[in-house]
Amino acid sequence: MTFADQPIGEFLDDVASGQVTPSGGAVAAVGGAMGAALCEMVCIHTVGTAGSDSESGELAALADDLADCREQLLALADEDAAAVDAVGAAFESGDDDRIQVTSKRSTEVPLETAEICLDVVEHARTVTAKGTPVAVPDAAVGALLAAAALQASVSTVRANLDMIDDESFVAAMKQRADEAEAAGEAALDEAVANAEQ
């Protein structure tokens, strides 16, 4: 069963258990998906009530993009759990090459999560600026959730890089993580400011 098909209470029970997974990366991805869903909801509530057809069309397109982000993030939650389990198995095997391969994957997945969460926060700038006023606070919550998931994912990336010997891979991952983090902070500031107007 995928996390997308699992009841939320059961998912949280699994997180708060003695199991290794789902852990931080999967939880961050689910949190980002929740943020996307909130922003998507505001688009849906706004379409048809927006001030112009072009604005309504823009928010309808954003709703579709946010739905894609939500689905990708839920899939990444599953990928993260699989990646973490693979790292554990690699360490049990004692095979250094296998450890390196699985460690790279356990870094790539949270970075992909961070970058999709960045998409959500960037979309939230438009949603908070053009959404129906009564629902804009929900989009702000969505932006905050996605931004927290982005930051959490970047933190996971940085922690996992310590296991990797490939210096060029480490440098590339650090750069992408830094860029996602900086862009996310800027987008969040704008989304929150829009919601407070």
Side-chain angles (χ1 to χ4, degrees):
M1 177 185 291
T2 66
F3 293 137
D5 296 326
Q6 189 176 23
I8 187 68
E10 186 179 312
F11 173 75
L12 294 176
D13 284 344
D14 287 346
V15 173
S17 73
Q19 300 173 182
V20 175
T21 56
S23 54
V27 171
V30 170
M34 290 180 174
L38 277 170
C39 292
E40 184 184 348
M41 176 194 78
V42 175
C43 291
I44 291 166
H45 282 289
T46 305
V47 170
T49 64
S52 69
D53 289 342
S54 63
E55 198 167 85
S56 184
E58 180 181 10
L59 290 174
L62 271 185
D64 290 342
D65 290 345
L66 287 159
D68 288 343
C69 290
R70 176 166 49 90
E71 290 172 10
Q72 290 177 63
L73 287 164
L74 288 176
L76 282 165
D78 291 312
E79 289 185 39
D80 186 86
V84 171
D85 288 340
V87 170
F91 272 99
E92 285 180 14
S93 76
D95 182 334
D96 287 340
D97 289 339
R98 187 175 166 192
I99 290 168
Q100 288 299 304
V101 168
T102 58
S103 294
K104 284 183 176 181
R105 186 61 189 149
S106 75
T107 305
E108 291 166 341
V109 174
L111 184 56
E112 290 171 31
T113 299
E115 291 173 340
I116 295 172
C117 287
L118 173 59
D119 290 342
V120 174
V121 182
E122 288 182 334
H123 289 330
R125 291 185 303 189
T126 303
V127 180
T128 53
K130 298 183 178 181
T132 187
V134 71
V136 162
D138 293 303
V141 172
L144 287 161
L145 284 171
L150 189 165
Q151 186 63 56
S153 298
V154 165
S155 176
T156 299
V157 168
R158 290 176 178 146
N160 289 350
L161 288 174
D162 291 340
M163 299 185 291
I164 298 169
D165 298 331
D166 183 339
E167 292 180 7
S168 62
F169 178 89
V170 169
M173 294 293 106
K174 279 184 178 175
Q175 182 175 346
R176 284 173 60 187
D178 290 347
E179 288 171 355
E181 181 178 47
E185 289 172 358
L188 179 63
D189 287 347
E190 188 176 333
V192 170
N194 288 342
E196 291 175 347
Q197 289 179 358

